[in-house]
């Protein structure tokens, strides 16, 4: 029962976050209208229960209320400016003796400042919260100044501390994702290095054989030259992709050094094994079946030859998807692996019938780096990668579209 409730809460939270990411203005409008409506209800008369001067004109109370709620619409883009406007309304409320409860909404932009702005900005913003408290305590000393000021300051301090805590957790998660991506790029670079080294070995052998064949069998020499041209072009394309991965990793490394972040993490030791191809998918799926996951596979042969790097990309994505299914789909889940060829692309699809809760972006498995690794590999060959619940609902769905050479991505 607890697990079901936790899963339902997780799915609800994920949907709210997805809606907020897709339509932030709608969410901002809803939140602003909610707090404005609640504050106006209090401004209709309830504010007098806590006011030091209940004779404050109603129009002024409504104006201060709107000044404390409507700016919330811009809280994410301009949290400091929003806090300044709300602090001005709170100062007016303290000076007139209205003491509106809506002043506590200053905690919303304060939380966002702690979450997204430098510590210096947080300290400067905190200065906006003190004057209304001091003015209220001096003008209407109903209780001792510490009873009037300290509890409210403690409330704001807890809000700021919550923002800093969420920020530190987010930064730690982002750092782990960056490490996972860097590790996967290093692994991709090693694999591409092996593929390029193999291609160069083939070229050398063809060149040596072609030299001897030129004197006795010119037609075999021409065949060798054709093979050298094909292999060298593939090796050159793989080399360009490898350099792109290394250049991107170097750029990110320099950026982290400029920001003063630690960069001494050691990459894992390379494994010198032959790189898998599409022909190795059957043994991979057989191993997954032995691990307890029923898998239905449809793996037709490729109508056209694929480069070793492209085959490796497809293999690794299928491998990672099946591993995540084993870890996250739950009991009773089944999986389907399908390769489909179109005139311009190879489409690899892995679908399971387990729970729809996705693995996190920094999920680590023994075969790679979860969704982060899939995306790194997809970007290497200009692929399209889709991860999420399938259109039919339920389970999880990974779809990789690998453009064939010479076709648009």
């Amino acid at each position: 029962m607890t697990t079901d409730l936790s899963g339902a809460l997780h799915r609800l939270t994920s949907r709210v976050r997805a809606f907020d990411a897709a339509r932030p203005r709608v969410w901002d409008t809803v939140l602003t209208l909610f707090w404005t409506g609640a504050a106006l209800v209090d401004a209709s008369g309830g504010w007098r229960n806590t006011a030091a001067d209940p004779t404050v004109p109603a129009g002024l109370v409504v104006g201060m209320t709107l000044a404390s709620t409507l700016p919330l619409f811009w809280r994410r883009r301009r949290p400091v400016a929003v806090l300044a406007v709300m602090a001005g309304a709170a100062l007016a409320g303290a000076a007139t003796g209205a003491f509106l409860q809506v002043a506590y909404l200053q905690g919303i932009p304060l939380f966002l400042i702690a979450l997204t702005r430098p510590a210096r900005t947080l300290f400067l913003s905190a200065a906006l919260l003190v004057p209304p408290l001091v003015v209220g305590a001096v003008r209407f000393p109903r209780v001792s100044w510490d009873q009037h000021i300290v509890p409210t300051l403690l409330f704001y301090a807890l809000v700021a501390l919550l923002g800093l805590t969420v920020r530190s957790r987010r930064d730690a998660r982002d750092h782990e994702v960056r490490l996972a991506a860097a590790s996967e790029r290093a692994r991709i670079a090693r694999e591409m290095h092996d593929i390029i080294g193999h291609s160069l070995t083939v070229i050398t052998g063809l060149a040596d054989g072609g030299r001897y064949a030129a004197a006795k069998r010119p037609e075999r020499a021409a065949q060798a030259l054709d093979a050298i041209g094909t292999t060298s072009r593939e090796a050159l394309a793989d080399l360009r992709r490898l350099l792109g991965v290394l250049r991107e990793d170097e750029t990110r490394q320099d950026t982290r050094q400029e920001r003063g972040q630690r960069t001494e993490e050691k990459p894992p030791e390379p494994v010198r094994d032959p790189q898998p191809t599409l022909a190795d998918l059957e043994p991979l799926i057989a191993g997954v079946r032995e691990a307890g996951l029923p898998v239905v596979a449809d793996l037709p042969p490729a109508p056209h030859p694929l480069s070793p790097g492209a085959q490796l990309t497809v293999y690794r994505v299928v491998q990672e998807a099946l591993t995540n299914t084993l870890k996250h789909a739950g009991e009773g889940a089944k999986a389907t692996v399908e390769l489909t060829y179109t005139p311009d692309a190879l489409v690899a699809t892995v679908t399971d019938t387990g729970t729809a809760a996705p693995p996190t972006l920094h999920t680590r498995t023994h075969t790679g780096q979860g969704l982060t690794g899939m995306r790194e590999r997809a970007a290497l060959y200009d692929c399209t990668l889709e991860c999420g619940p399938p259109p039919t609902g339920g389970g999880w769905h990974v779809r990789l579209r690998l453009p064939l050479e010479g076709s648009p991505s």
Side-chain angles (χ1 to χ4, degrees), residues 103-104 106-107 110 129 133 151-161:
Y104 285 103
Q106 295 174 96
L110 178 64
L129 303 171
L133 301 177
T152 306
L153 285 181
L154 286 177
F155 165 74
Y156 291 137
L158 288 176
V159 170
L161 182 60

Side-chain angles (χ1 to χ4, degrees), residues 17 76 111-119 161-179 259 261 361-362:
R17 290 177 177 172
R76 285 194 274 202
F111 173 83
L112 290 172
I113 292 171
L115 182 65
T116 61
R117 298 298 188 269
L161 182 60
L162 177 62
L164 293 174
T165 302
V166 174
R167 179 176 185 167
S168 65
R169 289 172 60 88
R170 182 193 63 186
D171 291 345
R173 183 178 65 250
D174 292 345
H175 182 61
E176 185 176 353
V177 170
R178 287 194 298 270
L179 289 180
R259 294 177 179 175
Q261 300 178 3
L361 290 180
H362 53 282

Side-chain angles (χ1 to χ4, degrees), residues 321-346:
L322 290 175
T323 301
N324 283 331
T325 297
L326 279 171
K327 293 184 63 176
H328 301 281
E331 296 182 0
K334 299 179 181 179
T336 302
V337 179
E338 182 179 8
L339 298 184
T340 305
Y341 296 93
T342 66
D344 58 353
L346 162 60

Side-chain angles (χ1 to χ4, degrees), residues 80-95:
V80 178
V82 168
L83 180 61
V85 174
M86 297 175 69
L91 181 61

Side-chain angles (χ1 to χ4, degrees), residues 312-332:
L312 177 62
T313 295
V314 176
Y315 178 91
R316 291 300 189 200
V317 169
V318 172
Q319 181 186 36
E320 204 67 65
L322 290 175
T323 301
N324 283 331
T325 297
L326 279 171
K327 293 184 63 176
H328 301 281
E331 296 182 0

